[in-house]
Amino acid sequence: MKVFNLKIKNIFFILVGSAIFSFGLVHFNIQNELGEGGFTGITLLLLYLFNLDPALMNIVLNIPVLIVGWKTLGRTTFYYSLIGILAVSVFIRISQIYLIEIDLASDLTLASLFAGVFIGVGLGIIFRYGGTTGGVDIIARLMNKYLGWSMGRAMFLFDALVIFTSIITYLDHIKGMYTLVAVFIGARVIDFIQEGAYAARGTTVISEKSEQISASIMKEMDRGVTVLQGRGSFTGSSRDVLYCVIAKNEIVRLKNIIEQIDPHAFVAISHVHDVVGEGFTLDENKMPLDD
């Protein structure tokens, strides 16, 4: 279902991600006086130095940037980002009102781990469903468009500047290091969720019996097989190369099929972090599996 060309499912998960992100920020970063990168780190700076409400500052800082960058984002991403920014501020406020005391002052390792996981999971969900929380993401897109900087470079430099400023103002060196741990874990979790917790496998097969193998895979596993033309650099002979994407739990079954037909086949299996298409996100009629 769509409203103003926005998917209800995407809006729902952006709200879920915003709630997780905000809970982690309030209960692990703020309670334990840890910093953060990006505009979130600036809101924490303003909180610790001037006692300004991070829920309000999140809107004050992000809305002008969102307005400036709306053409770069596109209409759909603009709306999703606006929802994400407002939702984060609302959930930060809710987390402040219904605060749960989690005393981790004596174990900052645990605090930084949970801070990174909650923020990473929250942002990962928001990004995966088309939203942003504004701030650095928009600035990075603008710098990429007008200055030619890569988004990764722009985001890293901005995050590093915010964290460095936090360390020289309100963070001591110990909490500064724990902040870096939290930011690193958050970045890895974001990558994991964006790439897909469901990891498929890409299989490359080179065999003299490629036709039999591809026919068996399609018949017994109901998986499509792409036949590529290859040529051996040593022998110079041409040979079919089979490529097939399968689920992780289908690896053993595929190996057994290949081994029964050609025990001497060359098989290479690689990680595929995300798959879009028939058999994974679409059914045989090219319709979304989750709709």
Side-chain angles (χ1 to χ4, degrees):
M1 181 178 178
K2 294 185 178 181
V3 178
F4 299 113
N5 205 36
L6 304 180
K7 291 184 178 180
I8 297 299
K9 183 186 74 172
N10 288 30
I11 294 174
F12 171 77
F13 279 106
I14 288 173
L15 294 176
V16 171
S18 299
I20 295 171
F21 170 85
S22 302
F23 181 90
L25 182 69
V26 172
H27 290 88
F28 297 107
N29 290 78
I30 294 178
Q31 278 199 34
N32 295 283
E33 296 185 349
L34 297 177
E36 181 57 47
F39 269 33
T40 303
I42 296 178
T43 63
L44 297 184
L45 262 170
L46 296 174
L47 169 66
Y48 295 129
L49 296 179
F50 306 107
N51 198 32
L52 297 176
D53 183 11
L56 176 61
M57 288 300 102
N58 181 62
I59 295 176
V60 171
L61 292 173
N62 275 302
I63 293 300
V65 177
L66 189 62
I67 293 173
V68 171
W70 76 273
K71 287 186 178 180
T72 302
L73 292 174
R75 181 177 297 179
T76 300
T77 304
F78 173 82
Y79 287 137
Y80 282 142
S81 298
L82 182 60
I83 292 170
I85 291 169
L86 296 177
V88 164
S89 290
V90 169
F91 284 117
I92 287 176
R93 192 62 188 144
I94 291 173
S95 296
Q96 291 173 323
I97 294 173
Y98 300 100
L99 186 68
I100 301 172
E101 292 294 338
I102 304 176
D103 186 10
L104 293 175
S106 60
D107 193 348
L108 287 178
T109 300
L110 198 58
S112 62
L113 290 174
F114 272 89
V117 168
F118 269 83
I119 286 179
V121 169
L123 289 179
I125 293 173
I126 292 171
F127 295 159
R128 187 170 177 83
Y129 287 92
T132 71
T133 54
V136 179
D137 180 62
I138 298 174
I139 291 175
R141 294 187 191 209
L142 292 172
M143 294 180 74
N144 174 257
K145 181 177 180 178
Y146 296 109
L147 299 179
W149 288 24
S150 70
M151 288 189 63
R153 177 187 178 191
M155 294 178 75
F156 172 78
L157 290 176
F158 195 93
D159 285 348
L161 178 62
V162 172
I163 293 173
F164 177 74
T165 304
S166 300
I167 292 174
I168 63 176
T169 53
Y170 73 91
L171 287 177
D172 58 44
H173 67 283
I174 297 295
K175 289 185 177 179
M177 288 189 286
Y178 279 116
T179 292
L180 293 176
V181 171
V183 170
F184 176 81
I185 292 172
R188 300 286 75 76
V189 173
I190 289 171
D191 289 342
F192 175 75
I193 292 178
Q194 282 195 281
E195 291 171 352
Y198 171 79
R201 296 293 185 267
T203 308
T204 302
V205 183
I206 302 175
S207 169
E208 295 179 352
K209 301 178 180 179
S210 58
E211 290 187 10
Q212 293 174 256
I213 293 173
S214 62
S216 295
I217 292 173
M218 289 187 288
K219 180 180 179 180
E220 297 182 32
M221 299 183 64
D222 195 27
R223 290 294 185 192
V225 180
T226 299
V227 181
L228 307 172
Q229 295 297 316
R231 183 173 63 85
S233 60
F234 180 73
T235 63
S237 60
S238 298
R239 188 167 297 175
D240 289 341
V241 178
L242 306 180
Y243 182 75
C244 178
V245 177
I246 60 175
K248 184 179 179 181
N249 58 6
E250 294 176 317
I251 294 176
V252 174
R253 188 178 175 189
L254 177 66
K255 285 183 176 179
N256 289 337
I257 290 174
I258 296 171
E259 188 173 1
Q260 288 173 5
I261 298 173
D262 184 5
H264 304 292
F266 176 85
V267 182
I269 299 175
S270 58
H271 287 268
V272 178
H273 294 292
D274 207 358
V275 183
V276 177
E278 185 176 343
F280 294 90
T281 60
L282 303 176
D283 62 19
E284 64 274 10
N285 299 314
K286 309 298 183 182
M287 297 299 291
L289 291 172
D290 54 355
D291 280 4

Short mmCIF file of all heavy atoms in Angstrom, two decimals, residues 201-218 223-231 239-246 254 257-258 261-262 265-270:
data_model
loop_
_atom_site.label_atom_id
_atom_site.label_comp_id
_atom_site.label_asym_id
_atom_site.label_seq_id
_atom_site.Cartn_x
_atom_site.Cartn_y
_atom_site.Cartn_z
N ARG A 201 24.44 -17.07 -1.54
CA ARG A 201 25.73 -17.51 -2.04
C ARG A 201 25.70 -17.52 -3.57
O ARG A 201 24.74 -17.99 -4.18
CB ARG A 201 26.06 -18.92 -1.52
CG ARG A 201 26.22 -18.99 0.00
CD ARG A 201 27.43 -18.23 0.47
NE ARG A 201 27.67 -18.38 1.90
CZ ARG A 201 27.21 -17.56 2.83
NH1 ARG A 201 26.50 -16.49 2.45
NH2 ARG A 201 27.45 -17.75 4.10
N GLY A 202 26.75 -16.99 -4.16
CA GLY A 202 26.89 -17.04 -5.61
C GLY A 202 27.82 -18.18 -5.97
O GLY A 202 28.93 -18.28 -5.43
N THR A 203 27.37 -19.06 -6.85
CA THR A 203 28.13 -20.26 -7.18
C THR A 203 28.56 -20.25 -8.64
O THR A 203 27.73 -20.08 -9.54
CB THR A 203 27.28 -21.53 -6.93
OG1 THR A 203 26.74 -21.49 -5.61
CG2 THR A 203 28.12 -22.78 -7.10
N THR A 204 29.85 -20.41 -8.86
CA THR A 204 30.40 -20.52 -10.21
C THR A 204 30.87 -21.95 -10.43
O THR A 204 31.62 -22.49 -9.61
CB THR A 204 31.58 -19.55 -10.40
OG1 THR A 204 31.14 -18.22 -10.14
CG2 THR A 204 32.13 -19.63 -11.82
N VAL A 205 30.41 -22.58 -11.53
CA VAL A 205 30.73 -23.98 -11.80
C VAL A 205 31.31 -24.10 -13.20
O VAL A 205 30.73 -23.61 -14.17
CB VAL A 205 29.48 -24.88 -11.69
CG1 VAL A 205 29.85 -26.35 -11.91
CG2 VAL A 205 28.79 -24.69 -10.34
N ILE A 206 32.46 -24.75 -13.31
CA ILE A 206 33.08 -25.04 -14.60
C ILE A 206 33.19 -26.54 -14.72
O ILE A 206 33.84 -27.20 -13.90
CB ILE A 206 34.47 -24.39 -14.72
CG1 ILE A 206 34.36 -22.86 -14.53
CG2 ILE A 206 35.11 -24.70 -16.07
CD1 ILE A 206 35.70 -22.15 -14.50
N SER A 207 32.53 -27.09 -15.72
CA SER A 207 32.49 -28.53 -15.88
C SER A 207 32.27 -28.91 -17.34
O SER A 207 31.67 -28.15 -18.11
CB SER A 207 31.35 -29.13 -15.03
OG SER A 207 31.12 -30.48 -15.35
N GLU A 208 32.74 -30.10 -17.72
CA GLU A 208 32.50 -30.62 -19.06
C GLU A 208 31.06 -31.10 -19.20
O GLU A 208 30.59 -31.36 -20.31
CB GLU A 208 33.47 -31.77 -19.36
CG GLU A 208 34.93 -31.33 -19.42
CD GLU A 208 35.86 -32.49 -19.71
OE1 GLU A 208 35.39 -33.66 -19.69
OE2 GLU A 208 37.06 -32.25 -19.96
N LYS A 209 30.37 -31.22 -18.07
CA LYS A 209 28.98 -31.67 -18.09
C LYS A 209 28.05 -30.55 -17.60
O LYS A 209 27.14 -30.77 -16.81
CB LYS A 209 28.82 -32.91 -17.20
CG LYS A 209 29.71 -34.08 -17.63
CD LYS A 209 29.55 -35.27 -16.69
CE LYS A 209 30.44 -36.43 -17.15
NZ LYS A 209 30.32 -37.61 -16.24
N SER A 210 28.31 -29.36 -18.09
CA SER A 210 27.57 -28.18 -17.61
C SER A 210 26.08 -28.27 -17.92
O SER A 210 25.25 -27.81 -17.13
CB SER A 210 28.17 -26.92 -18.23
OG SER A 210 28.15 -26.99 -19.65
N GLU A 211 25.72 -28.84 -19.09
CA GLU A 211 24.31 -28.94 -19.43
C GLU A 211 23.55 -29.81 -18.46
O GLU A 211 22.43 -29.48 -18.03
CB GLU A 211 24.14 -29.46 -20.86
CG GLU A 211 24.59 -28.47 -21.93
CD GLU A 211 24.27 -28.97 -23.33
OE1 GLU A 211 23.54 -29.98 -23.45
OE2 GLU A 211 24.72 -28.35 -24.30
N GLN A 212 24.14 -30.95 -18.08
CA GLN A 212 23.49 -31.85 -17.13
C GLN A 212 23.37 -31.19 -15.75
O GLN A 212 22.35 -31.31 -15.08
CB GLN A 212 24.28 -33.16 -17.01
CG GLN A 212 24.27 -34.01 -18.25
CD GLN A 212 25.18 -35.21 -18.11
OE1 GLN A 212 26.28 -35.25 -18.67
NE2 GLN A 212 24.75 -36.19 -17.33
N ILE A 213 24.43 -30.50 -15.34
CA ILE A 213 24.42 -29.85 -14.03
C ILE A 213 23.36 -28.76 -13.98
O ILE A 213 22.58 -28.69 -13.02
CB ILE A 213 25.81 -29.28 -13.70
CG1 ILE A 213 26.82 -30.41 -13.50
CG2 ILE A 213 25.75 -28.40 -12.45
CD1 ILE A 213 28.26 -29.94 -13.33
N SER A 214 23.31 -27.91 -15.00
CA SER A 214 22.33 -26.82 -15.00
C SER A 214 20.91 -27.36 -15.03
O SER A 214 20.02 -26.84 -14.35
CB SER A 214 22.57 -25.88 -16.18
OG SER A 214 22.41 -26.57 -17.41
N ALA A 215 20.68 -28.43 -15.81
CA ALA A 215 19.34 -29.03 -15.87
C ALA A 215 18.94 -29.59 -14.50
O ALA A 215 17.78 -29.43 -14.07
CB ALA A 215 19.31 -30.12 -16.93
N SER A 216 19.86 -30.23 -13.80
CA SER A 216 19.56 -30.80 -12.48
C SER A 216 19.30 -29.72 -11.44
O SER A 216 18.41 -29.86 -10.60
CB SER A 216 20.71 -31.70 -12.01
OG SER A 216 20.85 -32.82 -12.85
N ILE A 217 20.06 -28.63 -11.50
CA ILE A 217 19.86 -27.54 -10.56
C ILE A 217 18.47 -26.93 -10.75
O ILE A 217 17.73 -26.70 -9.79
CB ILE A 217 20.94 -26.45 -10.73
CG1 ILE A 217 22.30 -26.98 -10.30
CG2 ILE A 217 20.59 -25.20 -9.91
CD1 ILE A 217 23.45 -26.03 -10.60
N MET A 218 18.10 -26.70 -12.00
CA MET A 218 16.78 -26.10 -12.27
C MET A 218 15.65 -27.05 -11.90
O MET A 218 14.62 -26.62 -11.38
CB MET A 218 16.69 -25.71 -13.75
CG MET A 218 17.57 -24.51 -14.10
SD MET A 218 17.31 -23.90 -15.80
CE MET A 218 18.10 -25.22 -16.74
N ARG A 223 16.08 -23.44 -9.09
CA ARG A 223 16.90 -22.22 -9.16
C ARG A 223 17.33 -21.98 -10.60
O ARG A 223 17.67 -22.93 -11.33
CB ARG A 223 18.15 -22.35 -8.28
CG ARG A 223 17.87 -22.32 -6.79
CD ARG A 223 17.34 -20.99 -6.36
NE ARG A 223 17.18 -20.89 -4.91
CZ ARG A 223 16.53 -19.91 -4.30
NH1 ARG A 223 15.96 -18.95 -5.02
NH2 ARG A 223 16.41 -19.88 -2.99
N GLY A 224 17.33 -20.74 -11.01
CA GLY A 224 17.79 -20.40 -12.34
C GLY A 224 19.30 -20.48 -12.44
O GLY A 224 20.02 -20.29 -11.46
N VAL A 225 19.78 -20.79 -13.63
CA VAL A 225 21.21 -20.89 -13.89
C VAL A 225 21.55 -20.05 -15.11
O VAL A 225 20.88 -20.14 -16.14
CB VAL A 225 21.65 -22.35 -14.14
CG1 VAL A 225 23.14 -22.42 -14.40
CG2 VAL A 225 21.28 -23.23 -12.95
N THR A 226 22.58 -19.23 -14.99
CA THR A 226 23.05 -18.43 -16.12
C THR A 226 24.27 -19.10 -16.72
O THR A 226 25.20 -19.48 -15.99
CB THR A 226 23.41 -17.01 -15.67
OG1 THR A 226 22.25 -16.38 -15.13
CG2 THR A 226 23.93 -16.18 -16.83
N VAL A 227 24.25 -19.27 -18.05
CA VAL A 227 25.37 -19.90 -18.75
C VAL A 227 26.22 -18.82 -19.40
O VAL A 227 25.75 -18.05 -20.24
CB VAL A 227 24.87 -20.89 -19.82
CG1 VAL A 227 26.07 -21.56 -20.50
CG2 VAL A 227 23.96 -21.95 -19.20
N LEU A 228 27.47 -18.75 -18.98
CA LEU A 228 28.42 -17.77 -19.52
C LEU A 228 29.44 -18.49 -20.40
O LEU A 228 29.76 -19.67 -20.18
CB LEU A 228 29.14 -17.04 -18.38
CG LEU A 228 28.24 -16.40 -17.31
CD1 LEU A 228 29.10 -15.89 -16.16
CD2 LEU A 228 27.42 -15.28 -17.91
N GLN A 229 29.97 -17.78 -21.37
CA GLN A 229 30.98 -18.35 -22.24
C GLN A 229 32.36 -18.03 -21.67
O GLN A 229 32.70 -16.87 -21.45
CB GLN A 229 30.85 -17.81 -23.66
CG GLN A 229 29.55 -18.22 -24.36
CD GLN A 229 29.44 -19.72 -24.53
OE1 GLN A 229 30.42 -20.38 -24.92
NE2 GLN A 229 28.28 -20.27 -24.23
N GLY A 230 33.14 -19.08 -21.42
CA GLY A 230 34.48 -18.89 -20.88
C GLY A 230 35.53 -19.57 -21.75
O GLY A 230 35.22 -20.45 -22.56
N ARG A 231 36.79 -19.18 -21.57
CA ARG A 231 37.89 -19.80 -22.30
C ARG A 231 39.08 -19.95 -21.38
O ARG A 231 39.49 -18.99 -20.71
CB ARG A 231 38.27 -18.94 -23.52
CG ARG A 231 39.38 -19.56 -24.38
CD ARG A 231 39.58 -18.74 -25.66
NE ARG A 231 40.01 -17.39 -25.36
CZ ARG A 231 41.29 -17.04 -25.17
NH1 ARG A 231 42.25 -17.96 -25.21
NH2 ARG A 231 41.60 -15.79 -24.92
N ARG A 239 34.62 -23.17 -22.90
CA ARG A 239 33.81 -24.00 -22.01
C ARG A 239 32.73 -23.15 -21.37
O ARG A 239 32.93 -21.96 -21.11
CB ARG A 239 34.69 -24.62 -20.94
CG ARG A 239 33.99 -25.65 -20.07
CD ARG A 239 35.00 -26.44 -19.26
NE ARG A 239 35.90 -27.20 -20.13
CZ ARG A 239 36.94 -27.90 -19.69
NH1 ARG A 239 37.23 -27.90 -18.39
NH2 ARG A 239 37.70 -28.57 -20.52
N ASP A 240 31.57 -23.75 -21.14
CA ASP A 240 30.49 -23.05 -20.46
C ASP A 240 30.82 -22.85 -18.99
O ASP A 240 31.38 -23.75 -18.34
CB ASP A 240 29.17 -23.84 -20.57
CG ASP A 240 28.60 -23.82 -21.98
OD1 ASP A 240 29.00 -22.94 -22.75
OD2 ASP A 240 27.77 -24.69 -22.29
N VAL A 241 30.48 -21.68 -18.48
CA VAL A 241 30.64 -21.38 -17.06
C VAL A 241 29.25 -21.13 -16.49
O VAL A 241 28.50 -20.27 -17.00
CB VAL A 241 31.52 -20.13 -16.84
CG1 VAL A 241 31.63 -19.81 -15.35
CG2 VAL A 241 32.90 -20.34 -17.45
N LEU A 242 28.87 -21.86 -15.47
CA LEU A 242 27.55 -21.74 -14.87
C LEU A 242 27.61 -20.81 -13.66
O LEU A 242 28.55 -20.89 -12.86
CB LEU A 242 27.02 -23.10 -14.42
CG LEU A 242 26.99 -24.22 -15.47
CD1 LEU A 242 26.43 -25.50 -14.86
CD2 LEU A 242 26.18 -23.80 -16.68
N TYR A 243 26.60 -19.95 -13.55
CA TYR A 243 26.50 -19.08 -12.37
C TYR A 243 25.09 -19.20 -11.81
O TYR A 243 24.09 -19.08 -12.53
CB TYR A 243 26.79 -17.61 -12.71
CG TYR A 243 26.75 -16.72 -11.50
CD1 TYR A 243 27.79 -16.72 -10.58
CD2 TYR A 243 25.65 -15.90 -11.25
CE1 TYR A 243 27.76 -15.91 -9.44
CE2 TYR A 243 25.61 -15.09 -10.12
CZ TYR A 243 26.66 -15.10 -9.23
OH TYR A 243 26.61 -14.31 -8.11
N CYS A 244 25.03 -19.44 -10.50
CA CYS A 244 23.73 -19.64 -9.85
C CYS A 244 23.77 -19.04 -8.45
O CYS A 244 24.75 -19.21 -7.71
CB CYS A 244 23.42 -21.14 -9.76
SG CYS A 244 21.87 -21.54 -8.93
N VAL A 245 22.73 -18.30 -8.08
CA VAL A 245 22.61 -17.73 -6.74
C VAL A 245 21.65 -18.61 -5.94
O VAL A 245 20.53 -18.89 -6.39
CB VAL A 245 22.09 -16.29 -6.78
CG1 VAL A 245 21.90 -15.75 -5.37
CG2 VAL A 245 23.06 -15.41 -7.55
N ILE A 246 22.09 -19.05 -4.78
CA ILE A 246 21.28 -19.94 -3.94
C ILE A 246 21.24 -19.42 -2.51
O ILE A 246 22.02 -18.55 -2.12
CB ILE A 246 21.86 -21.38 -3.93
CG1 ILE A 246 23.30 -21.36 -3.39
CG2 ILE A 246 21.79 -21.99 -5.33
CD1 ILE A 246 23.92 -22.73 -3.22
N LEU A 254 23.41 -28.34 -3.35
CA LEU A 254 24.00 -28.01 -4.64
C LEU A 254 25.29 -28.80 -4.86
O LEU A 254 25.52 -29.35 -5.95
CB LEU A 254 24.27 -26.51 -4.73
CG LEU A 254 24.96 -26.04 -6.01
CD1 LEU A 254 24.03 -26.24 -7.21
CD2 LEU A 254 25.38 -24.58 -5.91
N ILE A 257 24.55 -32.36 -5.84
CA ILE A 257 24.09 -32.48 -7.23
C ILE A 257 25.28 -32.44 -8.18
O ILE A 257 25.40 -33.27 -9.11
CB ILE A 257 23.10 -31.35 -7.57
CG1 ILE A 257 21.78 -31.57 -6.84
CG2 ILE A 257 22.86 -31.27 -9.09
CD1 ILE A 257 20.80 -30.42 -7.01
N ILE A 258 26.19 -31.50 -7.96
CA ILE A 258 27.35 -31.36 -8.84
C ILE A 258 28.26 -32.57 -8.74
O ILE A 258 28.74 -33.10 -9.75
CB ILE A 258 28.13 -30.07 -8.49
CG1 ILE A 258 27.27 -28.84 -8.76
CG2 ILE A 258 29.44 -30.00 -9.29
CD1 ILE A 258 27.87 -27.54 -8.26
N ILE A 261 27.10 -35.67 -10.65
CA ILE A 261 27.21 -35.57 -12.10
C ILE A 261 28.67 -35.49 -12.55
O ILE A 261 29.08 -36.17 -13.50
CB ILE A 261 26.43 -34.35 -12.61
CG1 ILE A 261 24.94 -34.50 -12.29
CG2 ILE A 261 26.62 -34.17 -14.12
CD1 ILE A 261 24.11 -33.28 -12.60
N ASP A 262 29.44 -34.65 -11.88
CA ASP A 262 30.85 -34.47 -12.26
C ASP A 262 31.70 -34.21 -11.02
O ASP A 262 31.82 -33.05 -10.57
CB ASP A 262 30.98 -33.31 -13.25
CG ASP A 262 32.42 -33.14 -13.74
OD1 ASP A 262 33.28 -33.98 -13.39
OD2 ASP A 262 32.69 -32.17 -14.48
N ALA A 265 34.36 -31.38 -11.25
CA ALA A 265 33.97 -30.01 -11.62
C ALA A 265 34.66 -29.00 -10.71
O ALA A 265 34.92 -29.26 -9.52
CB ALA A 265 32.46 -29.86 -11.52
N PHE A 266 34.96 -27.85 -11.29
CA PHE A 266 35.51 -26.74 -10.50
C PHE A 266 34.35 -25.91 -9.97
O PHE A 266 33.49 -25.46 -10.74
CB PHE A 266 36.41 -25.86 -11.37
CG PHE A 266 36.95 -24.65 -10.66
CD1 PHE A 266 38.09 -24.72 -9.88
CD2 PHE A 266 36.30 -23.43 -10.77
CE1 PHE A 266 38.58 -23.61 -9.21
CE2 PHE A 266 36.77 -22.30 -10.11
CZ PHE A 266 37.92 -22.39 -9.33
N VAL A 267 34.29 -25.72 -8.65
CA VAL A 267 33.18 -25.01 -8.01
C VAL A 267 33.75 -23.92 -7.11
O VAL A 267 34.59 -24.19 -6.25
CB VAL A 267 32.30 -25.97 -7.18
CG1 VAL A 267 31.12 -25.20 -6.56
CG2 VAL A 267 31.80 -27.11 -8.03
N ALA A 268 33.29 -22.70 -7.30
CA ALA A 268 33.69 -21.57 -6.44
C ALA A 268 32.42 -20.94 -5.87
O ALA A 268 31.49 -20.61 -6.62
CB ALA A 268 34.47 -20.54 -7.23
N ILE A 269 32.38 -20.80 -4.55
CA ILE A 269 31.21 -20.25 -3.87
C ILE A 269 31.61 -18.96 -3.16
O ILE A 269 32.58 -18.93 -2.40
CB ILE A 269 30.64 -21.25 -2.85
CG1 ILE A 269 30.21 -22.54 -3.58
CG2 ILE A 269 29.44 -20.66 -2.11
CD1 ILE A 269 29.73 -23.64 -2.65
N SER A 270 30.87 -17.90 -3.42
CA SER A 270 31.19 -16.59 -2.83
C SER A 270 29.98 -16.03 -2.11
O SER A 270 28.84 -16.44 -2.35
CB SER A 270 31.63 -15.61 -3.92
OG SER A 270 30.61 -15.47 -4.91
#
